[in-house]
Amino acid sequence: MADPLDAYSHVVSSVAAELLPKVASVRAGRGSGSAVVFTADGFLLTNAHVVGSSRSGTVGFADGSAGDFLVVGRDPLSDLAVIRAQVPTPAPAVLGDSDELVVGQLVVAVGNPLGLTGSVTAGVVSGLGRSLPARSGAAVRLIEDVIQTDAALNPGNSGGALADSRSRVVGINTAVAGIGVGLAVPMNATTRSIIAALIRDGRVRRAYLGLVTSPAPLPEALRRRTGQDGALRVVEVVPGSPADRAGLRTGDLVLSAGRAPVVDAQSLQRLMFAEAIGRPLPITVFRNGALVDVIAEPVELTGAQA
């Protein structure tokens, strides 16, 4: 008998068979969505907005098993949360690396949209390197390198898996930006460090400089001198902040931080994790026609700064 499935269908159906048991439906307070088993001892990855401020909830799997979970940690500024099931869980999914994705690549979304447990959609990577604002109190950060896909996502897909053709989870579905436009938090080195911090500490410690910036092009002479096309223009320096104490000024062009080029907001943002707290951070700015070096010492981001 002829095989009724073409190559595309074989890939999608094999990914579905592999991941459907490992993607759970979750409910926490008024929120609901999906979560992905990623360790053998019951840890699942989901979106921070799915669990909200809840400390616990219920989790259900494709085989009909269900039970309670506890929130281990959440990070609204990356829209990630780790929960731990209080019941036995299926074998974990394999986490991939979104840095290996290319535009046009096949991806499969697995989740529980609109209460429809165990739903699978497929599409392609429509774009890479997108940014998605995330908020915690008054603090706003950009989730960087967000994956854009045309795989159909609906409410309830949040926290579910975006997988490649080898069933490796390359993203956690997080938002529907419009018809045919879904977004997923990437699975990369930054994400893995956030997950590790959530398991270890229940939260992610971030550094704070006290700068408000906007992207700015460099003058041609400065481009030739530095080899970079853009930088960050300082729009505001928070009084009394580490940036203020270091002598940074409104109008400065931030060219480098930590001896690495600063070409956009993400270049500076990715330095602002726990490792930077309390440590000297060399910053080079262009001011009044000259290069100026300063040393800032970031402090920990707190609710007062947020």
Side-chain angles (χ1 to χ4, degrees):
M1 183 177 178
D3 189 340
L5 299 180
D6 57 20
Y8 174 89
S9 300
H10 269 294
V11 171
V12 176
S13 60
S14 66
V15 173
E18 176 69 20
L19 287 182
L20 279 172
K22 303 170 182 182
V23 177
S25 61
V26 298
R27 183 169 293 277
R30 297 181 179 180
S32 63
S34 307
V36 183
V37 180
F38 71 98
T39 73
D41 51 352
F43 286 96
L44 293 89
L45 188 60
T46 185
N47 288 143
H49 78 260
V50 169
V51 298
S53 59
S54 300
R55 296 183 178 180
S56 61
T58 57
V59 61
F61 295 96
D63 63 2
S65 62
D68 296 331
F69 71 79
L70 300 177
V71 176
V72 175
R74 79 201 86 208
D75 180 44
L77 292 179
S78 65
D79 199 20
L80 292 173
V82 173
I83 63 177
R84 192 170 195 181
Q86 303 300 290
V87 293
T89 58
V94 175
L95 301 183
D97 185 356
S98 60
D99 290 346
E100 299 177 356
L101 293 175
V102 297
V103 173
Q105 181 174 342
L106 170 66
V107 285
V108 180
V110 182
N112 304 281
L114 305 173
L116 302 173
T117 302
S119 293
V120 176
T121 58
V124 299
V125 175
S126 305
L128 294 167
R130 308 302 194 210
S131 297
L132 178 68
R135 179 180 295 273
S136 179
V140 177
R141 287 287 195 280
L142 292 176
I143 305 173
E144 58 180 301
D145 297 326
V146 168
I147 305 163
Q148 179 188 336
T149 177
D150 67 351
L153 301 180
N154 291 288
N157 268 119
S158 291
L162 187 72
D164 64 13
S165 61
R166 295 171 61 185
S167 305
R168 299 174 300 187
V169 178
V170 292
I172 298 298
N173 299 318
T174 189
V176 181
I179 298 174
V181 181
L183 302 174
V185 178
M187 185 59 58
N188 54 24
T190 299
T191 305
R192 290 172 188 272
S193 68
I194 289 171
I195 294 170
L198 292 176
I199 294 175
R200 183 181 63 246
D201 304 320
R203 65 189 184 100
V204 177
R205 298 176 67 213
R206 283 185 169 82
Y208 171 74
L209 267 181
L211 285 179
V212 179
T213 62
S214 65
L218 294 185
E220 182 59 34
L222 194 54
R223 290 187 188 187
R224 291 194 299 268
R225 183 174 179 181
T226 63
Q228 61 190 78
D229 294 329
L232 290 180
R233 176 81 64 186
V234 176
V235 177
E236 180 184 350
V237 179
V238 178
S241 67
D244 186 27
R245 292 193 292 272
L248 290 169
R249 303 176 187 173
T250 300
D252 284 348
L253 269 178
V254 181
L255 299 175
S256 69
R259 298 185 175 85
V262 170
V263 296
D264 51 28
Q266 293 95 317
S267 301
L268 189 58
Q269 180 178 300
R270 66 172 59 99
L271 298 175
M272 295 293 102
F273 283 97
E275 295 80 6
I277 298 171
R279 295 185 177 181
L281 180 70
I283 298 174
T284 299
V285 301
F286 185 68
R287 177 191 300 165
N288 298 328
L291 296 180
V292 178
D293 294 320
V294 302
I295 301 292
E297 191 170 295
V299 297
E300 184 168 359
L301 179 69
T302 66
Q305 288 132 5

